[in-house]
Amino acid sequence: MKRNLFIPVLAVLLAGAFPGCKPPPGKEMKIGLITPLSGDVKTFGESVKNAFEIAVEEANAKGGVVGMKIATFIVDDRNDPTEASNAANLLINQHGVKAIVGSVTSKTTIPVSDLAQRYRIPTITGTATNPKVTVADGKRKDYMFRSCYTDSFQGTVMAKFSRDTLQAATTAILYDASNDYSKGIAEVFRDSFARMGGEVVAYESYGKDDVDFSALLTKVKVAKPDVLFLPDYYNKVGLIAKQAKEKELKAKLVGPDGWDSPELVKVAGEAIEGGYFSNHYSPEDTRPEVVNWVKKYREKFGQTPDSLGTLVYDATNMLLEAIREADSDDPGKIRDALASLKGFEGVTGKFTMDENGDPIKSAVIIQIRDGKQKFLQVVNP
Ligand code: PHE
């Protein structure tokens, strides 16, 4: 009798001592989200928060992960790099999160990635496309992952589209020199367009707070480009497009994922009509994963999910799958499981991350027609 009692007691003690065994009742899996809920890209932040919440609610409805309920901590970084660093510090050092989803834009995610690396907290961004998010000075930040393609791919895709499909011989490029994303993708587009035999007739930058682009647009008008590439977020792009139309510029407008917001058409009106941009998914896709996701999101939020929300739904599910694989809330083990995820089936496609934590996946090209986003084509890597 006495000996039999000893065995269950030992089992309980061992379970507490070794992570990966059954967690004590009431223990929570703490996950942080960093997202811009205010500031210049507020629509990005809101859809990201919505999508994150759907993924967590779905997991919690099934009992959480590895026997723990998921507790979330959501912090607004206002799309400001310093705020993003503060948010990461708060999540890691005050709230004690074991993993982070975020941030959203590249300029805020780069500082977050450095802290994730310093404190060894596995972090996955759904949306930050700049190469420096996962690799700096040739060195892999091995706690950092993403569920989106990078700007090296996206910039090349749009240069090829401009050359081959739009038959553009010349391009002008206007970019924000203070924004890692804008500057990075401007360089990729410029180099690719030239390598493909096109000519870059104007390459000009502006600052973060600029609102009057008339001097730059005069230069562009004189250069008479076939295409004007605008690598920035929807508010800036909207303003530039409007002023370009006032100046009667004839160039076709082309851009990257940063255009993806219902606000773009509200800011630019007619001026953005006919413009083309690269994106990560189309709600018009008939794959069942996409149809289910769009339905679920619409029912809950009354809107069609944008690419940002969709990518973050995938990123959050990738993280949860890695936690299940690790069978632990230990950050190091979660990192290892993330690094070895293969053939993840997300809404934005089925993909595997390369040795840098960057997925290899396709892009879609969207055209703005009648003020709406219309799916045009898929481009495979
Ligand atoms: N790729 C952008 C960045 O890195 C963010 C973004 C993703 C914007 C998807 C729109 C759609 O800053």
Side-chain angles (χ1 to χ4, degrees):
M1 216 28 209
K2 259 190 178 164
R3 282 185 78 196
N4 286 354
L5 233 176
F6 183 67
I7 294 164
V9 170
L10 187 69
V12 169
L13 287 175
L14 285 174
F18 293 101
C21 301
K22 211 169 180 305
K27 190 175 176 201
E28 290 179 325
M29 173 74 213
K30 294 183 182 179
I31 301 179
L33 174 74
I34 307 175
T35 190
L37 294 168
S38 54
D40 63 338
V41 295
K42 195 163 163 281
T43 70
F44 291 175
E46 283 163 353
S47 42
V48 161
K49 177 171 176 278
N50 292 346
F52 177 73
E53 283 176 349
I54 293 182
V56 170
E57 270 170 34
E58 284 176 349
N60 274 338
K62 289 185 194 145
V65 263
V66 291
M68 289 177 269
K69 191 175 165 291
I70 303 159
T72 59
F73 299 83
I74 299 178
V75 190
D76 177 11
D77 69 16
R78 293 191 258 150
N79 197 30
D80 178 86
T82 309
E83 291 293 329
S85 292
N86 293 343
N89 263 312
L90 178 80
L91 288 171
I92 298 169
N93 298 317
Q94 304 265 321
H95 295 309
V97 301
K98 299 294 169 80
I100 293 175
V101 176
S103 181
V104 172
T105 66
S106 294
K107 70 173 181 183
T108 53
T109 308
I110 292 168
V112 167
S113 69
D114 293 333
L115 292 169
Q117 197 58 27
R118 179 183 319 159
Y119 294 112
R120 303 187 163 266
I121 293 296
T123 298
I124 180 161
T125 173
T127 50
T129 43
N130 187 284
K132 285 187 272 184
V133 166
T134 52
V135 180
D137 304 322
K139 209 167 163 274
R140 163 85 175 110
K141 300 178 213 176
D142 65 349
Y143 273 74
M144 202 61 212
F145 300 88
R146 62 180 131 209
S147 60
C148 50
Y149 52 62
T150 72
D151 290 335
S152 317
F153 176 60
Q154 173 174 215
T156 313
V157 164
M158 289 322 275
K160 191 164 172 19
F161 176 77
S162 303
R163 288 285 295 143
D164 295 355
T165 308
L166 302 181
Q167 302 266 303
T170 56
T171 187
I173 302 166
L174 297 181
Y175 67 97
D176 177 350
S178 73
N179 178 338
D180 297 301
Y181 161 75
S182 184
K183 186 166 175 278
I185 199 161
E187 287 164 1
V188 175
F189 185 90
R190 176 195 63 193
D191 297 345
S192 313
F193 193 86
R195 202 181 337 105
M196 292 167 192
E199 192 191 344
V200 182
V201 291
Y203 189 73
E204 302 284 340
S205 71
Y206 50 86
K208 176 167 135 306
D209 300 316
D210 289 358
V211 286
D212 180 357
F213 303 93
S214 49
L216 291 180
L217 288 167
T218 301
K219 283 192 193 170
V220 172
K221 194 175 174 179
V222 172
K224 289 205 182 85
D226 296 327
V227 154
L228 172 57
F229 186 63
L230 298 175
D232 207 335
Y233 306 125
Y234 59 91
N235 271 315
K236 271 281 155 63
V237 172
L239 270 182
I240 298 173
K242 230 173 128 176
Q243 294 177 23
K245 189 170 169 82
E246 282 158 17
K247 281 211 174 321
E248 297 178 338
L249 245 80
K250 295 284 179 293
K252 289 190 175 114
L253 303 183
V254 173
D257 57 356
W259 289 27
D260 187 16
S261 170
E263 286 294 311
L264 174 62
V265 171
K266 291 190 194 154
V267 179
E270 270 286 297
I272 201 73
E273 195 53 30
Y276 303 93
F277 70 102
S278 46
N279 214 351
H280 303 264
Y281 104 113
S282 165
E284 294 173 55
D285 192 333
T286 53
R287 276 168 45 238
E289 292 87 349
V290 176
V291 174
N292 287 338
W293 161 247
V294 170
K295 183 167 170 275
K296 196 152 61 189
Y297 192 99
R298 278 193 186 140
E299 272 165 13
K300 200 163 156 77
F301 298 106
Q303 279 171 347
T304 301
D306 59 14
S307 271
L308 298 114
T310 309
L311 287 166
V312 167
Y313 181 70
D314 281 354
T316 309
N317 282 327
M318 281 167 81
L319 174 63
L320 295 175
E321 191 165 315
I323 296 170
R324 281 181 211 111
E325 285 292 319
D327 196 19
S328 167
D329 69 346
D330 176 67
K333 290 189 178 151
I334 299 171
R335 186 227 85 88
D336 292 346
L338 264 174
S340 50
L341 272 191
K342 283 197 182 68
F344 176 81
E345 295 195 33
V347 178
T348 58
K350 181 176 174 180
F351 52 86
T352 296
M353 288 178 290
D354 67 10
E355 68 284 2
N356 291 332
D358 300 335
I360 300 155
K361 60 197 294 202
S362 32
V364 301
I365 299 179
I366 303 281
Q367 183 176 29
I368 297 170
R369 263 189 271 145
D370 303 322
K372 297 206 170 55
Q373 294 190 9
K374 296 280 177 222
F375 168 78
L376 215 64
Q377 64 184 63
V378 176
V379 184
N380 294 315

